[in-house]
Amino acid sequence: MNLRERLRVMFFCISSVLAMTIVALAGFLPASLFAHARKPATIQAENDTGAITHHPALLLGAAWYPEQWPESRWDKDLALMEAAHITFARVGEFAWSRMEPSEGKFDFDWLEKAIDMAAQHHVAIVLGTPTAAPPAWLTQKYPDTLRIGPDGRRAQHGNRQHFSFTSPRYREFCWQIAGEMAKRFGHNPNVIGWQIDNEYAEPSYDDYTKQLFQQWLKVKYGTLANLNDRWTTAYWSQTYDNWSEIPLGGEGPNNPGLKLEFMRFISHTWADYQQNQIDAIRPYADKRQFITTNFMGFFEGFDHYVVSRALDLASWDDYVGEGQVNPDMNGLTHDLNRGFKHKNFWVMETQPGAVNWADINNFLNRGEVRAMAWQAIGHGADAVEYWQWRSALNGQEQYHGTLVGPDGTPVPFYNEVKDIGRDFAKVGGDFRDTTPVSQVALLYSYDSRWAIDFQQHTDKYDQLALLRDYYAALRKRAQSVDVVNPYSNLDAYKLVVAPDLNVLPKDMAQHLLDYVRQGGNLVLGPRSDMKDQYNALLTQRQPGYLADALGGRVEQYYALLNDVPLSGEWGNGNATIWAEQLGAANGDAQVLMRYGASNGWLDGQPAVLTHRYGKGRITYIGAILDPDLMSKAADWMVAQSGVTPAFGSVPDGVYVSRREGEGKRIFVMVNFTREEKHVELRHAMQALLAGHEESSVDLAAYGVEVFLDQR
Ligand code: GAL
């Protein structure tokens, strides 16, 4: 280890210690919310000119790999991009072997030429750091940089993501390449931002990672006695009497406390891995250059709230794979990503028709990709980028969709992108400084997601399906929903819904109770507040710290083999998959729904309770509801909390979104069906794509219109 490596390892440990101390002082925030204790990267280079290439408000992009093609071809590609109104390209994210062909020998001349040539075609650049694909010279000479899988096997060269995210040596190489790139391009006026690495995903299960995990636990728990107590290790003789005995909590069954901490450790480690590169770039980069990384939607491999913290903006890769786009799931995922930073985000990759990795790589219908692009914008994306521009002639993704074929000429799909580009150019300016504003928030927590996944209790329990069902019902009515971390400021929301917030420690409960006390409406779904921050069962029945405010509790939970009838205030329907028998304490809570005849235990028992608390209300829904009943529950939630729709009535299959700002409101209306749909507007508005005022609109199959409402 050279001096810098040692310093970085020390830094990793010291940063953990500091973070834990801050957490301890702050009174037991969960580990998933650890502040990164490293000094925030705010240093600006002295010669920061602050020059701003004022890029368009809505950007359209393509992932371009100039390193795969002769220089003589670049101008042709860029001219074709410009003709399609493509305003940015992301480059570099896998080009390490071109940027550093041998150890310590950097070559950025070709990249600078490509960036300059792009500028001539008004194509701005997002620069990817190439660290998801270390070159062969590196992994051959330093095999210790290669990742170890959960099976104990070392990754081989020839794929990507084959590095170990904790390897000090690998971090050193990342630091160097990112820093060298920033020295060269941090002031380049055509570089508008940075993407760190690409789709963080695979942790390493090597010995060094294990040692770090053990140190991390030591800092967090202080003593083994404390850890043993929190994890109830007396169970099955799991008691540890030396930190070095604690395994990585990766694959397979193990103590739920250990498993949850391991996921938090992975989150912390990815944030730290990322910070290494942010620290390398920031001192040399203009302030105007943003730093992001590209997430994978609902990927559960790390806590995205933790990893987003140091980024300037969140971005994600929106792939459908097999089948057609599900507008609810896709809208939900946009809203999740908007919630990471509570601001607009980018779609950093999306599919140009088809992918190559699904079981059946069908091509999306004509117009469907355009509908997806506008849906993204409606939900707060400021950029949409297609992966990839042109098929690489060899390599693993030869069959993937592109805009240009291997022959270098546009494929038919290119024209759909061109239409999107034309429209972005036409109306993009109206979107500047606008963002969605919602009255409803859904709470999403990685701790709860992991805790339930570790012990599903019924393999039919699908958290994402439950979240999507709540989302779809609420979004249909409110037409705008935020998806946020439970610790977020909730003051602005009329309605806050937590479909299954299983890990709900005391400080989170206090936060939610403050919201209700001040007049908020909180709705909890099944499995709520069962666990503390160590993933241990609470000694109060569900919903633990919230039970008093609810004036009721869960008496017993049941995984269902068959549906159970429900009836009451919301009419008749069924509980599916999961049902909790509720009890109202001293008749405090009002019973809204009861179970019908079932397993004997549930018969006639309360299924939904509601109770006024402070100036607000808390409601507990103890069952997974069938779709019809979910609609009725959503009607009740919306009416009861005074939520109003962002736009107004639209036919089924038409999705509307609203962005606000600068004294204006913009509605994006997308028809996700293959039939024409007629929509009446509340009053005449400027239809920006059509270019005139309208009081109604006929949307063709997958049709889109954008309305400017200045009233
Ligand atoms: C993404 C990845 C891209 C490309 C794409 C293909 O996950 O970031 O590099 O592989 O998938 O769909």
Side-chain angles (χ1 to χ4, degrees), residues 63 65 90 93-94 160-161 195 198-199 294-296 317 319 349-352 354-357 387-388 397 400-401:
Y65 298 95
R90 186 194 59 187
E93 87 278 11
F94 298 116
R160 53 183 169 176
Q161 299 182 329
Q195 174 189 297
N198 190 79
E199 295 187 343
N294 51 339
F295 293 136
M296 293 185 279
D317 297 346
Y319 289 101
E349 295 179 17
T350 189
Q351 78 189 57
V355 298
N356 68 316
W357 42 258
W387 195 96
Q388 63 173 330
E397 296 171 302
H400 201 283

Side-chain angles (χ1 to χ4, degrees), residues 357-584:
W357 42 258
D359 287 344
I360 299 178
N361 297 298
N362 63 288
F363 211 95
L364 295 179
N365 292 327
R366 192 170 191 160
E368 197 173 354
V369 169
R370 176 167 176 260
M372 279 177 71
W374 278 107
Q375 184 193 31
I377 302 300
H379 283 251
D382 286 335
V384 175
E385 187 210 88
Y386 292 92
W387 195 96
Q388 63 173 330
W389 171 250
R390 181 178 176 180
S391 336
L393 296 183
N394 218 320
Q396 277 91 320
E397 296 171 302
Q398 289 167 307
Y399 279 85
H400 201 283
T402 57
L403 278 63
V404 165
D407 63 343
T409 68
V411 296
F413 174 75
Y414 170 92
N415 287 322
E416 188 162 321
V417 173
K418 194 173 179 179
D419 289 348
I420 300 168
R422 179 203 58 213
D423 291 344
F424 277 16
K426 186 171 176 186
V427 308
D430 285 300
F431 283 85
R432 196 174 290 286
D433 298 323
T434 64
T435 192
V437 177
S438 308
Q439 299 175 358
V440 179
L442 277 176
L443 303 185
Y444 180 74
S445 130
Y446 288 86
D447 283 355
S448 289
R449 174 137 184 227
W450 294 323
I452 292 177
D453 275 350
F454 297 153
Q455 299 176 85
Q456 277 182 300
H457 205 57
T458 156
D459 65 1
K460 296 201 167 44
Y461 196 96
D462 179 344
Q463 295 178 68
L464 286 190
L466 182 65
L467 183 68
R468 186 203 56 215
D469 291 351
Y470 270 95
Y471 176 83
L474 290 167
R475 185 159 203 295
K476 190 168 177 182
R477 286 152 182 83
Q479 295 169 333
S480 192
V481 172
D482 286 354
V483 180
V484 298
N485 181 333
Y487 284 102
S488 299
N489 184 340
L490 302 172
D491 295 348
Y493 300 113
K494 292 184 174 174
L495 174 64
V496 170
V497 180
D500 50 8
L501 211 46
N502 190 243
V503 175
L504 208 164
K506 201 168 198 169
D507 62 332
M508 190 190 283
Q510 283 309 334
H511 176 62
L512 298 179
L513 288 174
D514 284 348
Y515 164 73
V516 180
R517 236 178 258 123
Q518 288 155 25
N521 284 282
L522 176 67
V523 176
L524 302 165
R527 302 179 86 147
S528 292
D529 207 0
M530 187 182 191
K531 303 283 197 69
D532 69 8
Q533 64 267 42
Y534 305 102
N535 208 6
L537 294 170
L538 291 179
T539 49
Q540 297 93 318
R541 295 276 186 79
Q542 289 168 253
Y545 299 113
L546 301 170
D548 286 347
L550 175 67
R553 66 178 200 177
V554 176
E555 300 296 346
Q556 176 120 343
Y557 51 83
Y558 306 90
L560 300 181
L561 283 174
N562 301 306
D563 288 0
V564 175
L566 279 171
S567 60
E569 186 107 345
W570 303 338
N572 298 318
N574 284 303
T576 67
I577 300 166
W578 191 272
E580 290 170 355
Q581 172 190 346
L582 308 185

